[in-house]
Amino acid sequence: MFDMSLPDPDQLQGTLVDFALLELIRQHRLSFQPLWTVDGWAKLMIWLALNCGLSGDTESLEHFATSLGETITTRMRRTFFERELGDLELHVLADPADPQVLLLSQAPQDPLVLAPERLTRALQRVDLLEHVTADQREWQALDGVVAIPWKRPKS
């Protein structure tokens, strides 16, 4: 007899595959240089496609991306461009497709979590400091979040 309180086997398999894929990305994302770039993201996707038995030609890579679908690709990309800094109580979201890097407090009741020195330390730790604007006047403090613009390319 099947226990109705237990997840459906297909649902359980999907959850396991999702967990394994996101953990694989976390374990290997630093290998795909340059960090915090679309190029790094593209290298990860190519690596995954090749390890799924596809060739590296454009048609195969496009087929791979289409086959994943928007939902899975979005979750993978978010995982690739985020970092958890538990000791600093910060969550960093730094997708280069977004106009700003977001630093979210994991302790919103503590205003010191979003102190500029702490944010600078977090940016240094994840190798983002050189990619964002250093002018703290451009940093936008919101409720439990600080938005920092990406550095503008030099013309």
Side-chain angles (χ1 to χ4, degrees):
M1 175 160 238
F2 187 70
D3 185 347
M4 296 303 283
S5 65
L6 295 175
D8 171 275
D10 289 339
Q11 181 184 17
L12 190 55
Q13 288 174 8
T15 300
L16 177 60
V17 168
D18 185 59
F19 165 77
L21 179 59
L22 297 180
E23 192 57 32
L24 180 70
I25 291 169
R26 284 184 197 96
Q27 295 298 317
H28 291 281
R29 63 186 169 198
L30 297 179
S31 303
F32 301 99
Q33 302 290 322
L35 293 178
W36 309 111
T37 66
V38 173
D39 286 347
W41 167 249
K43 289 175 184 179
L44 169 80
M45 293 298 283
I46 291 166
W47 179 72
L48 290 171
L50 293 174
N51 280 287
C52 286
L54 297 173
S55 71
D57 65 59
T58 302
E59 183 180 348
S60 292
L61 297 175
E62 288 174 355
H63 176 71
F64 178 72
T66 302
S67 297
L68 289 177
E70 188 177 339
T71 302
I72 291 173
T73 302
T74 300
R75 286 178 47 93
M76 290 169 53
R77 187 175 175 103
R78 188 182 69 234
T79 300
F80 187 76
F81 288 117
E82 75 179 3
R83 301 294 186 273
E84 291 278 339
L85 303 175
D87 62 318
L88 295 176
E89 299 181 289
L90 289 168
H91 185 93
V92 180
L93 300 171
D95 189 327
D98 295 331
Q100 301 165 320
V101 170
L102 300 177
L103 289 101
L104 295 81
S105 173
Q106 293 177 331
Q109 70 284 1
D110 183 354
L112 295 178
V113 170
L114 296 177
E117 313 79 49
R118 190 178 205 148
L119 298 177
T120 299
R121 198 170 43 205
L123 293 168
Q124 283 176 318
R125 183 175 308 164
V126 297
D127 294 324
L128 262 173
L129 194 57
E130 66 189 45
H131 299 285
V132 297
T133 184
D135 185 352
Q136 293 181 3
R137 293 173 298 183
E138 292 186 45
W139 296 13
Q140 185 180 11
L142 307 166
D143 190 27
V145 178
V146 172
I148 303 173
W150 290 99
K151 208 177 259 185
R152 292 172 190 84
K154 293 181 178 158
S155 317

